[in-house]
Amino acid sequence: MIKTEQSLAPHYIQFHRPQWAALRDSIPFKLLEEDIFKLQGINKDLSLDEVVQIYLPLSRLLNFYISSHLRQQTVLKTFLATKGGKIPYIIGISGGVAVGKSTTARLLQALLSSWPEPRLVELITTDGFLYPNKILNKRGLMNKKGFPQSYDIHSMVKFVSEVKSGAKYVTAPVYSHLIYDIVPNIDKVIGTPDILILEGLNVLQRNIDDPHTPHRLFVSDFIDFSIYVDAPEALLKSWYIKRFLTFRRSAFSNPNSYFHNFSQLPEIDAVHIAEEIWDEINGLNLQQNILPTREQASLIMTKRDSHAVDNLRLRNGYSAI
């Protein structure tokens, strides 16, 4: 039986994994195993079963919403007697550091692009709207990277607003995890997609106290459907340490890496540093700024030990975020 969760506001309908998997219906699975491997990124725990049981039903649900969104546009154009341009459907994906937001975003992009109806699906991460390190250093925020005040919220809202208005071309800054900074003089160009997936720590945040820019609009005001990828903090911390050690053996070994010096450390010292970074930065940000936005999401996906989704909560009485 599908359970309505009464303890959250607004109410959610709760699904255990088998219940959710049954909602796949007869959607054909078009991705190959090598496609899944490419989408994994650093998260090697993503399996074919996870895609079939969790993400195919989710793509079916989103397809229903997107189809409804397109019908509403047609009604409005008929009422206004105008042709107008298409208005992209925006999906927001949030959650803590190391929870697997990027993998979720890439996978949804692939699945939504493979529906019979031809649709252009673009993916943008909010990392591109972090202030450059030069500004963060000037404001004493380098140890607060990822906190609300480390983002250029004005530019991020302007970007999403322009996409939602149907602008022909919109540009977004590009962030490099290798140099740990915004890449100068390089932008990503978005050309009127059917669907925009916006992934980042802060897509649902509204209580942003930034003395440099007052805010009346927020990114979440433009999101049509939002997903919060959830997991207990103890798991998030262990996944972050594991990811840090993986980077230490790979990306950090690049001499151009901002964290190249960490690649030379003994593993026990690297673990200690990763624990400190979590406790003093990522864990603090999770508790103060990210976790409080969880109940604003349209869908909450909760993971267990192996990065597999254990249960899902869908907003009962769907609304814009």
Side-chain angles (χ1 to χ4, degrees), residues 8 29 57 84 94 104 135 170 189-190 207 227 252 260 262 286:
L8 300 177
F29 182 45
S94 186
T104 297
I135 292 177
V170 185
V189 180
I190 301 296
N207 57 336
I227 300 167
F252 292 173
H260 178 62
F262 290 155
L286 175 72

Side-chain angles (χ1 to χ4, degrees), residues 180-197:
Y180 198 57
D181 202 355
I182 300 298
V183 180
N185 305 316
I186 294 181
D187 290 319
K188 180 169 182 177
V189 180
I190 301 296
T192 322
D194 297 289
I195 303 166
L196 173 68
I197 298 175

Side-chain angles (χ1 to χ4, degrees), residues 118-191:
R119 287 174 179 161
L120 174 61
V121 186
E122 292 281 10
L123 170 59
I124 289 288
T125 69
T126 62
D127 290 343
F129 295 96
L130 285 161
Y131 285 115
N133 288 354
K134 182 179 179 180
I135 292 177
L136 294 177
N137 275 312
K138 183 178 180 181
R139 296 179 182 176
L141 294 174
M142 277 301 288
N143 287 334
K144 293 290 185 180
K145 186 174 276 197
F147 282 65
Q149 59 268 39
S150 66
Y151 290 91
D152 184 349
I153 302 297
H154 176 76
S155 294
M156 185 159 56
V157 169
K158 181 175 181 291
F159 165 80
V160 180
S161 173
E162 288 178 351
V163 170
K164 198 65 176 171
S165 71
K168 191 172 182 180
Y169 295 107
V170 185
T171 60
V174 175
Y175 185 83
S176 167
H177 287 276
L178 181 68
I179 65 172
Y180 198 57
D181 202 355
I182 300 298
V183 180
N185 305 316
I186 294 181
D187 290 319
K188 180 169 182 177
V189 180
I190 301 296

Side-chain angles (χ1 to χ4, degrees), residues 280-297:
E280 297 174 11
I281 300 175
N282 296 328
L284 194 62
N285 193 20
L286 175 72
Q287 292 297 329
Q288 292 182 353
N289 303 303
I290 303 169
L291 193 57
T293 70
R294 181 177 58 188
E295 274 71 45
Q296 296 176 34

Side-chain angles (χ1 to χ4, degrees), residues 23-125:
L23 297 174
R24 172 191 172 185
D25 198 19
S26 58
I27 300 173
F29 182 45
K30 296 183 179 181
L31 296 181
L32 302 174
E33 191 165 0
E34 53 263 35
D35 297 322
I36 302 301
F37 179 78
K38 292 175 185 176
L39 293 168
Q40 283 176 332
I42 198 168
N43 178 13
K44 302 303 181 184
D45 294 312
L46 180 65
S47 66
L48 286 172
D49 283 346
E50 189 74 0
V51 176
V52 171
Q53 295 178 22
I54 300 299
Y55 291 97
L56 278 182
L58 177 54
S59 70
R60 178 177 178 236
L61 174 66
L62 287 170
N63 189 59
F64 281 136
Y65 282 139
I66 293 163
S67 297
S68 174
H69 169 78
L70 292 172
R71 288 194 295 270
Q72 289 175 359
Q73 286 190 53
T74 300
V75 169
L76 183 59
K77 290 174 186 176
T78 301
F79 175 72
L80 297 175
T82 60
K83 292 184 178 180
K86 63 182 177 183
I87 305 301
Y89 190 86
I90 300 182
I91 300 169
I93 300 177
S94 186
V97 171
V99 76
K101 298 184 300 300
S102 297
T103 301
T104 297
R106 289 193 300 269
L107 186 50
L108 281 180
Q109 182 183 29
L111 290 173
L112 293 173
S113 299
S114 67
W115 276 82
E117 303 89 344
R119 287 174 179 161
L120 174 61
V121 186
E122 292 281 10
L123 170 59
I124 289 288
T125 69

